[in-house]
Amino acid sequence: MTTNGASSITTYFRVCDGVRVRFADSKADADTTVLLLSPWPESLWAFRRIWDRVAELGRVVAIDLPGFGHSDGRPELIAPDSSGAFLARLIDEWGLGAPHIVGPDVGTAAALFLAARAPDRVTSLTVGGGAVRFPIEAGGALKNVIEAPSLDLVRELDARTNIGAAVETAAASATEPEVHEDYVSAYDLGRFAESARFVRHYPERNPALRDLIPSIMTPIQVVAGRNDDLVPWSNNEYLHDLLPNSEIHRLDAGHFAWEQAAEDYGRLVADWVSGGYRRVVAG
């Protein structure tokens, strides 16, 4: 698949902890590794517009987290803390060393739990756009999914129609039909409701994360769109205020900042990974 402004990204499948994971790998022989975590309800193709920029930094590996994109999942893995533990295993099994992690949206909580509980597995984080605040602040469809009385109500949604509408601003069906279909098909046939388990854990997991965040010494860059109506900007400020070593950047974009403001997003990731992350711990 080749997309506008991006080189072809080849995807593969590999098993980790008994789960078939879809991934892409630049396979560069480099000392620096960047691990990209798919946002929701998208897939690793969300990084197509920054792939070339990030690939200049070293080896780049992108994955669909368990239960997201086209990776398989188990219910117990589709939660912020268990996703973080899964990432620690994947980093070890795949020999990724201590990568710089880029984890927008649902990747934010997973990456933070990883950094809190296995700090030696990661060098830095770029996160943001995840509803990690407590008390929870979320809007629109995300708020409805989190607060739905049961998953049955989520299962009743027409996932293909709803996901198609949600990702249209990030990957328009008319101009990027293959990417659009990759997103939509990832959550068809009941997979959207299963993936929703992750955000439905926020009410119980966010308080635990709040208690852990001040202990995370990993350098962290918080990057998100200022006009996000699903995950209000307050979530990003909350992180920046609690984290000991962080920077925060507000982009002129909505929820899908990594696609809607890809040039700025890619520039910030490149600057950060190439040494900028040291700024926040210089003192």
Side-chain angles (χ1 to χ4, degrees), residues 145-216:
V145 169
I146 292 172
E147 297 180 352
S150 73
L151 269 181
D152 289 339
L153 293 177
V154 182
R155 291 188 181 101
E156 291 173 2
L157 296 172
D158 182 336
R160 176 162 283 272
T161 298
N162 283 276
I163 299 302
V167 302
E168 185 67 21
T169 60
S173 56
T175 56
E176 293 186 291
E178 290 176 298
V179 177
H180 185 90
E181 179 60 23
D182 189 82
Y183 292 170
V184 174
S185 62
Y187 300 99
D188 207 356
L189 305 176
R191 281 179 56 89
F192 177 69
E194 290 304 304
S195 67
R197 293 178 185 275
F198 191 101
V199 300
R200 288 172 59 79
H201 280 299
Y202 284 165
E204 62 192 55
R205 299 299 200 273
N206 283 11
L209 185 58
R210 174 197 57 198
D211 294 340
L212 288 171
I213 289 172
S215 70
I216 299 174

Side-chain angles (χ1 to χ4, degrees), residues 25-26 75 106 136 151 196:
D25 189 345
S26 70
V106 292
I136 291 173
L151 269 181

Side-chain angles (χ1 to χ4, degrees), residues 22 38-39 41-47 63-64 69-70 182-183 186-187:
R22 187 174 73 158
S38 60
E42 300 173 283
S43 71
L44 59 81
W45 279 95
F47 301 111
I63 67 167
D64 288 342
H70 290 272
D182 189 82
Y183 292 170
Y187 300 99

Side-chain angles (χ1 to χ4, degrees), residues 2-261:
T2 303
T3 62
N4 297 342
S7 60
S8 179
I9 299 173
T10 302
T11 59
Y12 309 88
F13 286 92
R14 180 174 174 179
V15 174
C16 176
D17 192 26
V19 175
R20 196 177 69 134
V21 177
R22 187 174 73 158
F23 72 102
D25 189 345
S26 70
K27 300 182 179 180
D29 183 8
D31 294 332
T32 298
T33 299
V34 183
L35 177 60
L36 310 174
L37 311 179
S38 60
W40 183 61
E42 300 173 283
S43 71
L44 59 81
W45 279 95
F47 301 111
R48 67 198 180 281
R49 294 175 184 161
I50 69 168
W51 182 269
D52 288 349
R53 185 73 176 269
V54 179
E56 295 173 356
L57 309 172
R59 181 184 178 189
V60 183
V61 177
I63 67 167
D64 288 342
L65 286 163
F68 294 99
H70 290 272
S71 289
D72 293 343
R74 295 195 304 267
E76 67 271 18
L77 286 180
I78 307 174
D81 50 348
S82 55
S83 286
F86 177 86
L87 285 172
R89 291 191 292 273
L90 183 142
I91 288 167
D92 282 349
E93 286 187 22
W94 293 15
L96 302 184
H100 296 270
I101 291 182
V102 178
D105 188 65
V106 292
T108 295
L112 288 169
F113 271 110
L114 169 67
R117 293 177 171 168
D120 57 324
R121 303 297 204 288
V122 61
T123 295
S124 81
L125 305 183
T126 295
V127 295
V132 294
R133 193 182 186 281
F134 190 79
I136 291 173
E137 289 194 10
L142 176 60
K143 177 180 173 67
N144 294 338
V145 169
I146 292 172
E147 297 180 352
S150 73
L151 269 181
D152 289 339
L153 293 177
V154 182
R155 291 188 181 101
E156 291 173 2
L157 296 172
D158 182 336
R160 176 162 283 272
T161 298
N162 283 276
I163 299 302
V167 302
E168 185 67 21
T169 60
S173 56
T175 56
E176 293 186 291
E178 290 176 298
V179 177
H180 185 90
E181 179 60 23
D182 189 82
Y183 292 170
V184 174
S185 62
Y187 300 99
D188 207 356
L189 305 176
R191 281 179 56 89
F192 177 69
E194 290 304 304
S195 67
R197 293 178 185 275
F198 191 101
V199 300
R200 288 172 59 79
H201 280 299
Y202 284 165
E204 62 192 55
R205 299 299 200 273
N206 283 11
L209 185 58
R210 174 197 57 198
D211 294 340
L212 288 171
I213 289 172
S215 70
I216 299 174
M217 303 310 294
T218 303
I220 297 177
Q221 174 177 227
V222 183
V223 183
R226 69 172 78 229
N227 304 313
D228 190 337
D229 57 357
L230 296 175
V231 181
W233 180 252
S234 58
N235 286 276
N236 306 300
E237 291 179 322
Y238 169 85
L239 279 182
H240 182 51
D241 289 344
L242 290 177
L243 287 164
N245 300 311
S246 67
E247 288 184 358
I248 189 167
H249 300 275
R250 186 190 305 238
L251 300 183
D252 186 17
H255 179 66
F256 303 101
W258 44 92
E259 288 164 286
Q260 296 167 336

